Amino acid sequence: MDSAQELVLQLDQELRRGTLVLSVLSRLSSPQYGYSLVQELEQRGVGIDASTLYPLLRRLEKQGLCEASWETGGAKPRKYYRRTALGDEVYGVLHQHWKTVVENMERLLGEESGNEG
Amino acid sequence: MKDDQSYIAEMTGRYIWAVVKHLPAKGRSDIETELRGLIEDMLAERAGGGQPSPKDLDVVLAELGAPYDLAQKYIAQDRYLIGPQLFPKYWLVLRIVLAAEIAGLTLAAILTAVLGGTAGIGAFAEWLANLCVGTAVAFGFVTLFFALAERQGGRLRRQLIHQDWKLSELPPVPPGKSRIPRAGPIAGIIFTVLVMILFGWFPGLLGAWLPHDGWRVVPIFDAAVLNARLPLLFLSFTLGLVQEIAELMEGRYTLRLMWVTLGTDAASLLLSAAVFLDGRIFNPHMTQDLAAAGIHLNEAGWVLQHFGAFLVAIILFAFVLEMATSLWRTLRYRDAGQ
């Protein structure tokens, strides 16, 4: 039982890891800073640790998918991220791929449960 | 209250430092400021608008996790000395280099001994010391080379990893019985090297071990004559090593392996005969030595007088058996999988 739970936990994590970039990119059409992104994704049922998101944002910035700018006018300095043109393009394509993946997976898993039933 | 705030400031500072100290200097201050903002945001949320307590900070930092892990996520790429893609090549090259280095040093030590340099325990200790240093140096250089290839990437790394292949050039799978299990030749090489060390450096150990006031060894060989014939003997062993290595590299019974086996075996056989057939190589006082140790051979004494002939007969039998096996297996299996 324990090992099944452990395996589920581990596989579940792998499953989510693949969706992280898409989730984050989807929220960056307007500028967001790290913690607001954590909260927004959390509210929409996509939990992500700040310790995962912050390094991820930097990676996306390095890859040119989003750009960052420091906002120093408020009480504390915040780094805002938003998608670049490249980010828009990549996000658009990935979004389409995601739809296909979901359709195919739904069909696949539907057949499987059909066989079982 | 003031204490609480200084605790929070102190611990936040420590945590952030523990993270960024693992990161490259470039971008460090950026990450530092961002992390500080994040911790403040998380604290503010936990405190719900009030003053955050030290406990809140503990929870927040625990949630962020071990500083080292967080730093790893920022670094993003796996930090290998030699990654899994390069490792098989590294391992292969390392083994070849070490084998060559050990063989070379050993051969050098043998030649030194044969050509009248130091011999015995001193030479053995010197060989061992050379081996230790040589192995460390070879290991270091190969590892350094691959670590650089791993780190710098580029053309060198691609060449090491990239494996061109064509379907038409894949060799056929050798049928099971024509394959030579690697364990055979590897065991053969180890055994041969051990026997060489025994004959070359510890010939006194070759003898009848008799429990007589502790252990008493009655040597089989006459040390001086054996020493004089060592080059022939070592040539014979080296030919044996050549055969084992050829077997290991070929991996299956083929015609060319058969020729190597027949050639080296025949030469080894002649060399062994030259070394052992002339009885002067054996300890001339064997019977007396045995008697002194309380063993009287009487009728069995004639065995000793023809010991060389017996030994050569045994060696002959072993070689002929190997040659016949090789011949038979090759002729039987060589067509399959050629």
Side-chain angles (χ1 to χ4, degrees):
Chain A
M1 189 61 191
D2 271 353
S3 72
Q5 273 176 346
E6 262 172 43
L7 276 174
V8 166
L9 212 67
Q10 187 191 332
L11 293 173
D12 199 46
Q13 228 174 22
E14 273 177 38
L15 211 55
R16 282 163 196 271
R17 199 178 300 148
T19 66
L20 279 185
V21 171
L22 195 57
S23 312
V24 170
L25 281 180
S26 77
R27 297 294 99 193
L28 292 183
S29 51
S30 55
Q32 295 251 27
Y33 66 94
Y35 198 58
S36 69
L37 208 50
V38 171
Q39 287 171 315
E40 184 173 342
L41 288 171
E42 186 85 62
Q43 276 166 16
R44 291 167 195 267
V46 182
I48 177 169
D49 288 334
S51 61
T52 303
L53 180 70
Y54 275 62
L56 176 63
L57 283 171
R58 276 191 85 80
R59 203 181 88 207
L60 295 178
E61 187 191 350
K62 238 183 198 168
Q63 290 173 326
L65 295 173
C66 64
E67 56 195 355
S69 56
W70 280 99
E71 181 91 25
T72 47
K76 51 191 148 196
R78 292 192 194 286
K79 197 177 182 184
Y80 280 83
Y81 296 87
R82 68 173 298 164
R83 279 202 312 254
T84 56
L86 177 69
D88 286 341
E89 188 190 334
V90 168
Y91 172 67
V93 176
L94 278 184
H95 192 176
Q96 285 308 314
H97 288 185
W98 172 255
K99 281 182 188 164
T100 317
V101 168
V102 169
E103 270 170 36
N104 292 341
M105 286 306 291
E106 279 296 333
R107 206 173 314 125
L108 193 70
L109 301 181
E111 279 172 17
E112 171 68 11
S113 62
N115 288 344
E116 278 171 13
Chain B
M1 202 63 175
K2 191 160 172 279
D3 281 354
D4 284 0
Q5 291 204 351
S6 62
Y7 172 84
I8 288 173
E10 167 73 19
M11 287 306 162
T12 304
R14 284 193 198 183
Y15 184 87
I16 291 172
W17 170 244
V19 175
V20 299
K21 74 176 178 187
H22 297 292
L23 303 177
K26 195 179 143 214
R28 208 188 254 188
S29 71
D30 206 49
I31 291 173
E32 204 175 318
T33 318
E34 204 180 8
L35 274 184
R36 197 175 294 279
L38 169 66
I39 292 170
E40 284 170 13
D41 282 339
M42 289 172 87
L43 274 177
E45 200 199 1
R46 275 199 68 82
Q51 274 294 342
S53 68
K55 192 160 183 296
D56 289 330
L57 182 77
D58 293 350
V59 174
V60 163
L61 295 186
E63 202 179 310
L64 283 177
Y68 181 76
D69 293 342
L70 185 51
Q72 284 293 67
K73 287 183 193 166
Y74 271 109
I75 292 166
Q77 71 198 99
D78 291 309
R79 297 211 279 182
Y80 296 118
L81 185 63
I82 292 157
Q85 281 182 306
L86 279 185
F87 191 79
K89 284 266 164 65
Y90 166 68
W91 186 230
L92 180 72
V93 171
L94 186 66
R95 279 185 301 176
I96 292 172
V97 168
L98 286 184
E101 176 256 341
I102 291 168
L105 283 178
T106 307
L107 199 65
I110 290 165
L111 288 179
T112 312
V114 167
L115 296 175
T118 51
I121 195 77
F124 182 72
E126 196 184 313
W127 170 74
L128 211 59
N130 285 341
L131 218 54
C132 288
V133 176
T135 303
V137 170
F139 184 81
F141 268 108
V142 174
T143 306
L144 184 71
F145 173 79
F146 274 88
L148 284 176
E150 175 75 41
R151 222 181 142 67
Q152 298 302 326
R155 215 161 59 116
L156 172 64
R157 179 155 178 231
R158 278 198 301 280
Q159 278 170 351
L160 283 169
I161 292 173
H162 185 65
Q163 284 171 329
D164 242 346
W165 71 282
K166 279 189 194 151
L167 190 54
S168 56
E169 284 174 10
L170 287 180
V173 179
K177 283 186 177 167
S178 81
R179 289 182 214 171
I180 304 174
R182 294 166 70 118
I186 288 174
I189 290 169
I190 294 170
F191 179 76
T192 310
V193 170
L194 288 179
V195 173
M196 284 168 92
I197 291 172
L198 206 57
F199 270 97
W201 285 274
F202 307 104
L205 297 179
L206 295 162
W209 287 63
L210 301 171
H212 185 83
D213 299 336
W215 284 99
R216 180 185 176 132
V217 185
V218 175
I220 296 179
F221 299 105
D222 181 292
V225 181
L226 178 66
N227 217 19
R229 294 185 191 170
L230 260 187
L232 288 182
L233 199 56
F234 270 55
L235 188 58
S236 162
F237 286 138
T238 308
L239 287 170
L241 281 178
V242 167
Q243 193 276 334
E244 301 284 5
I245 290 169
E247 210 169 90
L248 187 67
M249 282 165 56
E250 196 76 346
R252 61 200 173 100
Y253 295 103
T254 59
L255 262 187
R256 68 180 176 178
L257 178 63
M258 185 192 78
W259 287 119
V260 170
T261 306
L262 292 183
T264 53
D265 278 9
S268 290
L269 185 57
L270 290 177
L271 287 166
S272 306
V275 171
F276 295 117
L277 267 185
D278 178 353
R280 277 174 301 176
I281 194 174
F282 298 105
N283 177 4
H285 317 295
M286 187 93 179
T287 317
Q288 295 93 304
D289 287 351
L290 285 174
I295 305 235
H296 300 281
L297 290 168
N298 304 329
E299 296 85 17
W302 64 273
V303 174
L304 272 189
Q305 274 145 33
H306 306 281
F307 200 74
F310 275 106
L311 202 57
V312 171
I314 292 169
I315 293 170
L316 179 71
F317 177 72
F319 277 125
V320 167
L321 190 67
E322 188 179 59
M323 289 158 90
T325 314
S326 164
L327 204 65
W328 183 74
R329 285 199 172 138
T330 307
L331 295 178
R332 172 137 190 218
Y333 299 119
R334 81 192 159 97
D335 290 331
Q338 281 280 12

